[in-house]
Structure formats: C-alpha cells, structure tokens
Amino acid sequence: MPLRTVRSTCSRAALHLTRIVLDRTVTGLETCITVLCETPTPAVQGLFVLLFGAAFYSYCKYFFSLLPLPTVPAWHIWSGTLTMMPSLVFFVLASWTDPGVVTPENVEQYNRQYRLDGVLYQPRTCATCNIPKPARSKHCRVCNRCIGRMDHHCIWLNTCIGTRNLRWFLAFLASTAAICIYGAVLGARIMHGHMGVEGAWKLARVRRGSGRLEYVSDSALTTLRYVLERYPVQFCLTFFLGVMGWVLTGFLGYHIFLILSGTTTNEASKWRALRKDLARQAAFDPAGLHLDLAPDNAYDWGPGRNLLDALVPRVPCTKDSKLC
C-alpha cells in the first residue's frame, strides 16, 4: 500500500476518533449541567461543604500553625474557628427551611399576601400544580413546585429562595462573606508578621542585568515575588478568600437593593423584559403616542416596609417541611 494512502487513512481515522471524543465530551458536559442545574440534587451542596472543609483545613495547616506572632495573637485560632459556625448554621437553615411552597391548602393565604398588579401578574392557573398562581409566585421547573415570592433557584442550597427562607439566605451570604473577608485580612497579616519574624524585609538578591542589590522591601513587585516564592499556598488561599469575599458582598448588596426596591430577582428580570418591549413599541408606534416606559411597582411600599415584608414571612410553613 502506498505511503500516501496510509497517511490519508490514518488522518481520516484520527479525525473520526477526535469527533467521537468531542461529541461524547460535549454530551457528558450537557448531562452534568442538566443534572446540576435543572434537577434537584444534593451534589452541589456536598461540593460546598467539601470546599468549606478543605479551605478550613488548609487555613489551619498553613496559617494557624504560624501563630502566635508578635503582631497576630493566637486567639485568632479560636475566633476564626467560631466565625465559621454561623455560616454553616445558616447554610442548613436556608437549605432545609420551607421556601414558601404553594399548595391547595395554603393558596388562599398567599393570595391574601399580595394582590395581582395587572402588570407582571395576571390571573392564571399553574398548568403543573393545577392551582391558582398567587401574585409574586413562580413555578420552579427544577423543584417542580410553585414558590411564594419566588426570588431564584439556588443550586448551592439545592432549593428555591422564596418568602420563607429569604432571611436565612441573606444571613448565609452575610456570614460567608464575613468569614471570607476576615480570613483574607488575617492571612495577609499573618504573612506580613511572619516575614518580620524571619527578617525577610532585610533580605536582598542581586538583580540580573544591573548587578545591584534588590531588597524585598524595595517595591510591591519585589515583595510579591518573595511572597509567591515563600508562601505560595498561603497567598493563593488569601487571594481566593479575598475574591470570594468581595463577590459575596456584591451579591448580598444586590439582593438588599432589590429588597429595598420592593422587587425580587425574578421580578427584576420581568421588569427589564417589559421595559424593552414597551420601548420597542414606542419606537415603532406610527401614531407617535406616548407609552409609559416605567409602570409603577405595586409592591414597592417604601424601604422600611419592604425590608420587613422580606424578612418576616406572613404565611406559615407547610406541614411536610423539615424546618420552619
């Protein structure tokens, strides 16, 4: 068989094999996304607990083992450990508390909680649950149930965030953000204090090219280079905690803004879609009629009352819920 024919056959076989591997990889990824994001599964909850435990173990091994230091006392070991507890407690409460499941038995209570505004919510019946849909409720396709004052479905908690567990969700975000920021600041202080004990600020090396001495304390770049060489794990852990702390703080701030505005994540998305639709109609209105691009939010009762409404549920939990 000619060498050119052999090469051509091998190329086609390799291409065919690559396509098979890519197709199976994409199918596998789609299956994983479907399982994790579109079906109730405790896998992501387990992943959070695993990450939480791994971060705490790494912190004990690489940071707490360096204490005490002249600038960082040893009591941070106990304060850091105790600060973790609220996050885990609120994680359990947010995950297992009834989010506000609407049932035939309590649908009238949810109907009395909010009135239909005629803008975002019209009189409708849930085709899946076969019950009237109260105002501000939504049927979650992941949980396959209607949730009162539905905000969103959280895959990390494996449950919806609704009228009854929103308070625990906010507490979980706040406590987790606090422990991340506390861990990042404490980690930076421990590295700084340990460098002082080792005399690292007086260390110097000969700079390539110029041949002059370059001290660790000369610039932020030289300090960063030394930290990456001397404390690689500590730096990565501190950086991770700092980023997560700011991300969670931003997420918490966004939810507080929505609450004070008398809306939810689900409703914010609906308002954006509605305003885009009205703006499109106004642009193509041949008569040039004015269209109200910002309808009033019937559920905005002022920041104080909005906050009280979000944090104090007015409908009792269902009988089969694990926590209330």
Side-chain angles (χ1 to χ4, degrees):
M1 182 180 294
L3 181 60
R4 182 178 300 176
T5 304
V6 174
R7 289 178 176 175
S8 178
T9 303
C10 291
S11 298
R12 287 197 298 271
L15 181 61
H16 180 67
L17 181 61
T18 302
R19 287 176 178 174
I20 292 176
V21 172
L22 288 176
D23 288 343
R24 292 185 177 180
T25 302
V26 171
T27 302
L29 289 175
E30 290 177 346
T31 302
C32 290
I33 293 174
T34 301
V35 170
L36 294 177
C37 300
E38 298 184 9
T39 57
T41 173
V44 184
Q45 284 177 300
L47 178 61
F48 171 80
V49 175
L50 181 64
L51 289 174
F52 202 89
F56 180 67
Y57 171 79
S58 300
Y59 211 93
C60 291
K61 181 177 180 180
Y62 294 102
F63 281 114
F64 287 160
S65 60
L66 301 178
L67 298 181
L69 294 169
T71 56
V72 186
W75 57 259
H76 280 287
I77 298 175
W78 299 104
S79 62
T81 303
L82 292 176
T83 308
M84 290 178 49
M85 297 301 115
S87 179
L88 293 175
V89 170
F90 292 133
F91 174 78
V92 173
L93 288 173
S95 298
W96 295 100
T97 298
D98 171 26
V101 180
V102 182
T103 64
E105 291 76 20
N106 64 13
V107 65
E108 288 303 322
Q109 292 177 301
Y110 280 102
N111 284 331
R112 290 193 297 267
Q113 187 175 12
Y114 304 108
R115 64 179 179 84
L116 297 170
D117 63 352
V119 180
L120 298 183
Y121 301 102
Q122 308 286 347
R124 290 180 55 191
T125 299
C126 178
T128 305
C129 301
N130 197 28
I131 55 176
K133 295 189 67 173
R136 311 194 79 180
S137 67
K138 185 179 184 296
H139 183 87
C140 177
R141 61 173 183 165
V142 180
C143 298
N144 196 31
R145 54 189 182 179
C146 286
I147 306 297
R149 200 186 185 280
M150 171 72 162
D151 191 273
H152 69 285
H153 180 87
C154 180
I155 62 172
W156 291 100
L157 300 175
N158 192 34
T159 188
C160 292
I161 305 302
T163 187
R164 290 202 51 80
N165 66 346
L166 177 61
R167 50 185 172 166
W168 303 129
F169 174 72
L170 295 175
F172 168 67
L173 285 181
S175 58
T176 307
I179 186 62
C180 287
I181 294 175
Y182 175 57
V185 173
L186 180 60
R189 287 189 59 196
I190 290 175
M191 286 188 291
H192 184 275
H194 194 258
M195 288 174 65
V197 171
E198 289 190 332
W201 300 108
K202 299 179 180 179
L203 295 179
R205 67 176 68 182
V206 178
R207 186 173 183 179
R208 293 180 180 179
S210 63
R212 70 179 184 85
L213 288 179
E214 185 179 57
Y215 288 90
V216 172
S217 58
D218 279 351
S219 65
L221 183 60
T222 56
T223 303
L224 178 62
R225 187 183 298 120
Y226 176 83
V227 169
L228 289 174
E229 293 177 358
R230 178 66 179 84
Y231 309 98
V233 178
Q234 290 92 332
F235 176 83
C236 292
L237 188 56
T238 301
F239 181 79
F240 171 75
L241 291 175
V243 171
M244 290 306 303
W246 283 113
V247 169
L248 291 173
T249 300
F251 196 46
L252 174 64
Y254 173 69
H255 275 278
I256 292 176
F257 167 76
L258 290 179
I259 290 173
L260 296 179
S261 302
T263 188
T264 64
T265 303
N266 175 52
E267 291 170 352
S269 176
K270 289 184 176 182
W271 279 115
R272 285 193 297 268
L274 177 62
R275 290 191 176 99
K276 285 183 180 179
D277 186 56
L278 291 175
R280 193 180 301 112
Q281 293 180 35
F284 291 97
D285 183 12
L289 299 176
H290 174 73
L291 293 177
D292 186 6
L293 299 182
D296 292 334
N297 180 7
Y299 310 114
D300 185 5
W301 305 320
R305 188 178 170 188
N306 292 339
L307 184 63
L308 184 65
D309 176 69
L311 299 182
V312 183
R314 290 177 284 165
V315 178
C317 61
T318 55
K319 295 179 181 180
D320 58 345
S321 63
K322 299 178 179 64
L323 292 172
C324 286

